[in-house]
């Protein structure tokens, strides 16, 4: 029986050692997991370290650290490239605005002079092309300002109903010219959210412009009591892949020759700066863009004390 007792003691010692080993490995795995999460969330130079001397776990930590160094290098390269692109857009848009303003001024003066029928026709074409170029330049300038300024903007208690009505009314002539009679559905109850009024108007304007570009002749705008705003229109000229890319910076399709591809990008940026979400779906040849903003603070009607300049 002595040998059986010794065998049991040995087995017990082995099991205990294995349990301790497993506990150490679990601890090391948790340390690696937490370290990985922390370093992905923060831009830090510190690397992952583990308290165990287990060769396999140390090797895993070293391998992850190598990948983190590569990821950090690529992130910084992307950030530098993105910043350089923003600066280039700002400079280009600013450099274009000055000569365009002068060109528009001289075109107005030339329009007052006596001219032949052909000259008048050519002048009208030049004016139209110049107006399109000026519009595109302004869009570039707005985008550069929005991306380069701080994201903290002034907020106030805003009625979604009222701003939406004002935005649609401002585009009534353009919608009528395209033969679009919008179908508007709003609750009688006012829906309030803590937002920046100027930024919200810009978001709605860009979404209506998007409908003017791609709609087959219809537009449905709905606002729910929960604060969900949806713009829906038929868009048979698009497909699911194109719709999925509409929020990408500078993406355009053939039917949008007068666009920089920044309208929906600006709308998404401003929506996210106001802590909202914006999504797009394409189903049965209909495109739906949905915006949701967080609930306003109950009973809050006072303006935020933050007086930062609102977006252009």
């Amino acid at each position: 029986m002595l040998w059986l007792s010794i065998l049991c003691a040995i087995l017990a010692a082995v099991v205990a050692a294995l349990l301790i080993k497993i506990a150490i490995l679990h601890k090391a795995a948790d340390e690696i997991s937490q370290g990985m999460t922390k370093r992905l969330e923060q831009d830090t130079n510190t690397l992952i370290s583990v308290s165990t001397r287990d060769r396999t776990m140390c090797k895993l930590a070293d391998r992850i650290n190598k990948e983190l160094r590569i990821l950090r290098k690529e992130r910084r390269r992307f950030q530098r490239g993105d910043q350089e692109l923003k600066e280039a857009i700002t400079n280009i848009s600013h450099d274009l605005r000055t000569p365009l303003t002068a060109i528009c001024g001289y075109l107005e003066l030339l329009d007052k002079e006596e001219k032949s029928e052909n000259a008048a026709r050519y002048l009208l074409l030049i004016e139209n092309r110049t107006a399109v170029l000026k519009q595109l330049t302004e869009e570039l300038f707005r985008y550069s300002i929005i991306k380069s300024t701080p994201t903290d903007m002034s907020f106030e208690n805003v009625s979604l109903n009222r701003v939406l009505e004002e935005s649609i009314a401002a585009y009534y002539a353009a919608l009528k010219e395209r033969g679009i009679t919008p179908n508007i559905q709003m609750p009688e109850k006012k829906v309030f959210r803590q937002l920046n009024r100027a930024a919200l108007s810009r978001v709605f304007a860009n979404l209506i412009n998007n409908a003017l570009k791609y709609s087959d002749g219809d537009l449905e705008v709905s606002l729910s009591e929960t604060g969900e705003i949806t713009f829906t229109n038929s868009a048979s000229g698009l497909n699911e892949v194109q719709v999925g890319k509409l929020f990408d910076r500078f993406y355009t399709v053939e039917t949008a020759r007068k666009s920089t591809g920044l309208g929906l990008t600006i709308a998404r940026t401003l929506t996210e700066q106001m802590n909202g979400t914006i999504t797009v779906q394409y189903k049965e040849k209909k495109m739906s863009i949905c915006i949701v903003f967080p609930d306003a603070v109950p009973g809050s009607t006072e303006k935020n004390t933050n007086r930062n300049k609102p977006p252009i």
Side-chain angles (χ1 to χ4, degrees):
M1 296 296 294
L2 180 61
W3 64 269
L4 184 59
S5 300
I6 296 174
L7 181 60
C8 290
I10 293 174
L11 290 175
V14 171
V15 170
L18 288 175
L19 290 175
I20 294 173
K21 181 71 172 179
I22 292 173
I24 293 174
L25 292 178
H26 279 184
K27 182 181 178 181
D30 289 339
E31 290 174 348
I32 292 174
S33 177
Q34 293 173 8
M36 185 71 174
T37 302
K38 184 177 180 181
R39 280 149 188 81
L40 288 176
E41 293 175 349
Q42 301 175 0
D43 187 11
T44 174
N45 290 324
T46 58
L47 298 176
I48 295 174
S49 59
V50 290
S51 56
T52 181
R53 294 183 180 180
D54 181 79
R55 184 176 301 177
T56 303
M57 283 299 178
C58 290
K59 186 177 180 180
L60 176 61
D62 289 340
R63 181 59 184 172
I64 293 177
N65 284 332
K66 290 179 182 178
E67 295 299 326
L68 283 174
R69 292 189 187 98
I70 296 173
L71 179 61
R72 188 180 300 119
K73 183 178 179 180
E74 290 298 315
R75 177 190 291 175
R76 290 177 178 174
R77 185 175 66 86
F78 170 78
Q79 290 173 342
R80 285 196 301 269
D82 192 55
Q83 183 60 36
E84 290 172 359
L85 179 60
K86 291 175 186 176
E87 293 174 357
I89 292 173
T90 303
N91 294 334
I92 291 172
S93 60
H94 183 271
D95 292 342
L96 287 174
R97 292 177 89 199
T98 302
L100 272 176
T101 302
I103 290 172
C104 291
Y106 283 115
L107 285 174
E108 290 179 3
L109 293 175
L110 186 59
D111 192 40
K112 298 177 181 179
E113 300 291 332
E114 292 186 9
K115 47 192 172 294
S116 65
E117 183 178 345
N118 285 336
R121 182 163 57 88
Y122 297 150
L123 180 60
L124 181 60
L125 292 173
I126 295 173
E127 288 176 344
N128 290 337
R129 294 297 91 191
T130 304
V132 171
L133 182 57
K134 187 175 182 180
Q135 176 186 345
L136 299 180
T137 304
E138 288 297 325
E139 199 171 62
L140 276 172
F141 182 73
R142 292 191 195 102
Y143 174 77
S144 63
I145 292 297
I146 290 170
K147 296 299 289 185
S148 61
T149 54
T151 57
D152 50 333
M153 56 179 71
S154 58
F155 289 84
E156 60 181 288
N157 216 28
V158 176
S159 168
L160 296 179
N161 312 57
R162 184 170 182 178
V163 177
L164 189 55
E165 289 171 354
E166 291 174 352
S167 299
I168 296 173
Y171 279 85
Y172 176 77
L175 290 168
K176 185 177 180 180
E177 184 179 348
R178 286 274 283 108
I180 299 175
T181 302
N183 179 16
I184 306 169
Q185 299 178 4
M186 293 191 193
E188 294 183 2
K189 180 181 178 182
K190 296 294 183 182
V191 182
F192 289 94
R193 291 292 185 271
Q194 288 290 323
L195 305 170
N196 181 280
R197 186 183 181 88
L200 182 62
S201 296
R202 170 59 55 189
V203 170
F204 289 159
N206 286 7
L207 294 183
I208 296 173
N209 263 320
N210 182 73
L212 288 170
K213 294 174 189 174
Y214 302 115
S215 176
D216 292 339
D218 63 327
L219 174 62
E220 298 177 10
V221 182
S222 65
L223 170 64
S224 69
E225 292 186 358
T226 58
E228 183 176 293
I229 309 120
T230 305
F231 291 76
T232 304
N233 61 270
S234 300
S236 58
L238 300 177
N239 57 50
E240 191 172 353
V241 175
Q242 290 173 322
V243 170
K245 293 181 178 180
L246 286 178
F247 284 106
D248 293 351
R249 185 171 56 186
F250 301 119
Y251 178 79
T252 60
V253 295
E254 292 184 359
T255 54
R257 296 185 182 92
K258 297 181 180 180
S259 173
T260 58
L262 291 173
L264 290 184
T265 303
I266 292 173
R268 181 180 63 182
T269 300
L270 292 176
T271 299
E272 291 175 350
Q273 287 178 358
M274 292 186 288
N275 302 317
T277 58
I278 182 169
T279 56
V280 60
Q281 289 184 343
Y282 187 73
K283 188 176 181 180
E284 297 179 354
K285 296 186 178 181
K286 280 199 171 186
M287 175 171 59
S288 295
I289 298 178
C290 180
I291 305 175
V292 179
F293 290 107
D295 291 342
V297 178
S300 175
T301 56
E302 297 181 0
K303 290 186 177 182
N304 193 298
T305 56
N306 189 339
R307 297 298 182 183
N308 289 330
K309 185 178 178 181
I312 295 176

